[in-house]
CSV table of all heavy atoms in Angstrom, one decimal:
chain,number,residue,atom,x,y,z
A,202,ALA,N,7.7,6.5,14.4
A,202,ALA,CA,6.3,6.4,13.9
A,202,ALA,C,5.5,5.6,14.9
A,202,ALA,O,4.4,5.9,15.2
A,202,ALA,CB,6.2,5.7,12.6
A,203,ALA,N,6.1,4.5,15.5
A,203,ALA,CA,5.4,3.7,16.4
A,203,ALA,C,5.1,4.4,17.7
A,203,ALA,O,4.1,4.2,18.4
A,203,ALA,CB,6.2,2.4,16.7
A,204,LEU,N,5.9,5.3,18.0
A,204,LEU,CA,5.8,6.1,19.3
A,204,LEU,C,4.5,6.9,19.3
A,204,LEU,O,3.9,7.1,20.3
A,204,LEU,CB,7.0,7.1,19.5
A,204,LEU,CG,7.3,7.4,20.9
A,204,LEU,CD1,7.7,6.2,21.7
A,204,LEU,CD2,8.5,8.5,20.9
A,205,THR,N,4.1,7.4,18.1
A,205,THR,CA,2.8,8.1,18.0
A,205,THR,C,1.6,7.3,18.4
A,205,THR,O,0.6,7.7,19.0
A,205,THR,CB,2.6,8.7,16.6
A,205,THR,OG1,2.5,7.6,15.7
A,205,THR,CG2,3.8,9.7,16.2
A,206,TYR,N,1.7,5.9,18.2
A,206,TYR,CA,0.7,5.1,18.6
A,206,TYR,C,0.7,4.8,20.1
A,206,TYR,O,-0.3,4.6,20.7
A,206,TYR,CB,0.8,3.7,17.8
A,206,TYR,CG,0.5,3.8,16.4
A,206,TYR,CD1,1.5,3.9,15.4
A,206,TYR,CD2,-0.8,3.8,15.9
A,206,TYR,CE1,1.3,4.0,14.1
A,206,TYR,CE2,-1.1,3.9,14.6
A,206,TYR,CZ,0.0,4.0,13.6
A,206,TYR,OH,-0.3,4.1,12.3
A,207,VAL,N,1.9,4.8,20.7
A,207,VAL,CA,2.0,4.7,22.1
A,207,VAL,C,1.4,5.9,22.8
A,207,VAL,O,0.6,5.8,23.8
A,207,VAL,CB,3.5,4.6,22.6
A,207,VAL,CG1,3.6,4.5,24.0
A,207,VAL,CG2,4.2,3.4,21.9
A,208,ALA,N,1.6,7.1,22.2
A,208,ALA,CA,1.1,8.3,22.8
A,208,ALA,C,-0.5,8.3,22.7
A,208,ALA,O,-1.1,8.7,23.7
A,208,ALA,CB,1.7,9.5,22.0
A,209,ALA,N,-1.0,7.9,21.6
A,209,ALA,CA,-2.4,7.8,21.4
A,209,ALA,C,-3.1,6.9,22.5
A,209,ALA,O,-4.1,7.1,23.1
A,209,ALA,CB,-2.8,7.4,20.0
A,210,LEU,N,-2.4,5.7,22.7
A,210,LEU,CA,-2.9,4.8,23.7
A,210,LEU,C,-2.8,5.3,25.1
A,210,LEU,O,-3.8,5.2,25.8
A,210,LEU,CB,-2.1,3.5,23.6
A,210,LEU,CG,-2.4,2.4,24.6
A,210,LEU,CD1,-3.9,1.9,24.4
A,210,LEU,CD2,-1.5,1.2,24.6
A,211,VAL,N,-1.7,5.9,25.5
A,211,VAL,CA,-1.6,6.5,26.8
A,211,VAL,C,-2.7,7.6,27.0
A,211,VAL,O,-3.4,7.5,28.0
A,211,VAL,CB,-0.2,7.2,27.0
A,211,VAL,CG1,-0.2,8.0,28.3
A,211,VAL,CG2,0.9,6.1,27.0
A,212,SER,N,-2.9,8.4,26.0
A,212,SER,CA,-3.9,9.5,26.1
A,212,SER,C,-5.3,8.9,26.3
A,212,SER,O,-6.0,9.3,27.1
A,212,SER,CB,-3.8,10.3,24.8
A,212,SER,OG,-4.8,11.2,24.7
A,213,SER,N,-5.6,7.8,25.5
A,213,SER,CA,-6.9,7.2,25.7
A,213,SER,C,-7.1,6.5,27.0
A,213,SER,O,-8.2,6.6,27.6
A,213,SER,CB,-7.1,6.1,24.6
A,213,SER,OG,-7.4,6.8,23.3
A,214,MET,N,-6.1,5.8,27.5
A,214,MET,CA,-6.1,5.2,28.8
A,214,MET,C,-6.4,6.2,29.9
A,214,MET,O,-7.2,5.9,30.8
A,214,MET,CB,-4.9,4.4,29.0
A,214,MET,CG,-4.8,3.0,28.2
A,214,MET,SD,-3.3,2.2,28.4
A,214,MET,CE,-3.7,0.8,29.3
A,215,MET,N,-5.7,7.3,29.9
A,215,MET,CA,-5.9,8.3,30.8
A,215,MET,C,-7.3,8.9,30.9
A,215,MET,O,-7.9,9.1,32.0
A,215,MET,CB,-4.9,9.5,30.7
A,215,MET,CG,-3.4,9.1,30.9
A,215,MET,SD,-3.0,8.6,32.6
A,215,MET,CE,-2.9,10.2,33.4
A,216,THR,N,-7.8,9.1,29.7
A,216,THR,CA,-9.2,9.6,29.6
A,216,THR,C,-10.2,8.6,30.1
A,216,THR,O,-11.2,9.0,30.8
A,216,THR,CB,-9.5,10.0,28.1
A,216,THR,OG1,-8.5,10.9,27.7
A,216,THR,CG2,-10.9,10.7,28.0
A,217,LEU,N,-10.0,7.3,29.7
A,217,LEU,CA,-10.9,6.3,30.2
A,217,LEU,C,-10.9,6.2,31.7
A,217,LEU,O,-11.9,6.1,32.3
A,217,LEU,CB,-10.4,5.0,29.5
A,217,LEU,CG,-11.3,3.7,30.0
A,217,LEU,CD1,-12.8,3.9,29.5
A,217,LEU,CD2,-10.7,2.4,29.4
A,218,LEU,N,-9.7,6.3,32.3
A,218,LEU,CA,-9.5,6.2,33.7
A,218,LEU,C,-10.3,7.4,34.4
A,218,LEU,O,-10.9,7.2,35.4
A,218,LEU,CB,-8.0,6.3,34.1
A,218,LEU,CG,-7.7,6.1,35.5
A,218,LEU,CD1,-8.0,4.6,35.9
A,218,LEU,CD2,-6.1,6.3,35.7
A,219,TYR,N,-10.2,8.5,33.7
A,219,TYR,CA,-10.9,9.7,34.3
A,219,TYR,C,-12.4,9.4,34.3
A,219,TYR,O,-13.0,9.7,35.3
A,219,TYR,CB,-10.6,10.9,33.4
A,219,TYR,CG,-11.4,12.1,33.8
A,219,TYR,CD1,-11.2,12.9,34.9
A,219,TYR,CD2,-12.5,12.5,33.0
A,219,TYR,CE1,-12.1,13.9,35.3
A,219,TYR,CE2,-13.3,13.5,33.3
A,219,TYR,CZ,-13.1,14.3,34.4
A,219,TYR,OH,-13.9,15.3,34.8
A,220,TYR,N,-12.9,8.9,33.2
A,220,TYR,CA,-14.3,8.7,33.2
A,220,TYR,C,-14.8,7.7,34.3
A,220,TYR,O,-15.9,7.8,34.9
A,220,TYR,CB,-14.8,8.1,31.8
A,220,TYR,CG,-14.7,9.1,30.7
A,220,TYR,CD1,-14.2,8.9,29.4
A,220,TYR,CD2,-15.2,10.4,30.9
A,220,TYR,CE1,-14.3,9.7,28.4
A,220,TYR,CE2,-15.2,11.4,29.9
A,220,TYR,CZ,-14.8,11.0,28.6
A,220,TYR,OH,-14.7,12.0,27.6
A,221,ILE,N,-13.9,6.7,34.4
A,221,ILE,CA,-14.2,5.6,35.4
A,221,ILE,C,-14.3,6.2,36.8
A,221,ILE,O,-15.2,6.0,37.6
A,221,ILE,CB,-13.3,4.4,35.3
A,221,ILE,CG1,-13.5,3.6,34.0
A,221,ILE,CG2,-13.4,3.4,36.5
A,221,ILE,CD1,-12.4,2.7,33.6
A,222,LEU,N,-13.3,7.0,37.1
A,222,LEU,CA,-13.2,7.6,38.5
A,222,LEU,C,-14.3,8.5,38.7
A,222,LEU,O,-14.9,8.6,39.8
A,222,LEU,CB,-11.8,8.4,38.6
A,222,LEU,CG,-10.5,7.5,38.7
A,222,LEU,CD1,-9.3,8.3,38.7
A,222,LEU,CD2,-10.6,6.6,39.9
A,223,ARG,N,-14.7,9.2,37.7
A,223,ARG,CA,-15.8,10.2,37.7
A,223,ARG,C,-17.1,9.5,38.0
A,223,ARG,O,-17.9,9.9,38.8
A,223,ARG,CB,-15.9,11.0,36.4
A,223,ARG,CG,-16.5,12.4,36.6
A,223,ARG,CD,-16.7,13.0,35.3
A,223,ARG,NE,-18.0,13.7,35.3
A,223,ARG,CZ,-18.2,15.0,35.4
A,223,ARG,NH1,-17.1,15.7,35.6
A,223,ARG,NH2,-19.4,15.5,35.4
A,224,ALA,N,-17.3,8.3,37.3
A,224,ALA,CA,-18.5,7.5,37.5
A,224,ALA,C,-18.6,7.0,39.0
A,224,ALA,O,-19.6,7.0,39.6
A,224,ALA,CB,-18.5,6.4,36.5
A,225,GLN,N,-17.4,6.6,39.5
A,225,GLN,CA,-17.3,6.1,40.9
A,225,GLN,C,-17.7,7.2,41.8
A,225,GLN,O,-18.4,7.1,42.8
A,225,GLN,CB,-16.0,5.4,41.1
A,225,GLN,CG,-15.9,4.0,40.6
A,225,GLN,CD,-14.5,3.5,40.9
A,225,GLN,OE1,-13.6,4.1,41.2
A,225,GLN,NE2,-14.5,2.1,40.8
A,226,GLY,N,-17.1,8.4,41.5
A,226,GLY,CA,-17.3,9.6,42.4
A,226,GLY,C,-18.8,10.0,42.5
A,226,GLY,O,-19.3,10.3,43.5
Side-chain angles (χ1 to χ4, degrees):
L204 205 62
T205 61
Y206 292 97
V207 177
L210 177 62
V211 170
S212 177
S213 286
M214 283 173 111
M215 293 296 282
T216 304
L217 180 62
L218 189 67
Y219 170 76
Y220 287 139
I221 292 170
L222 291 177
R223 207 186 136 105
Q225 281 181 340

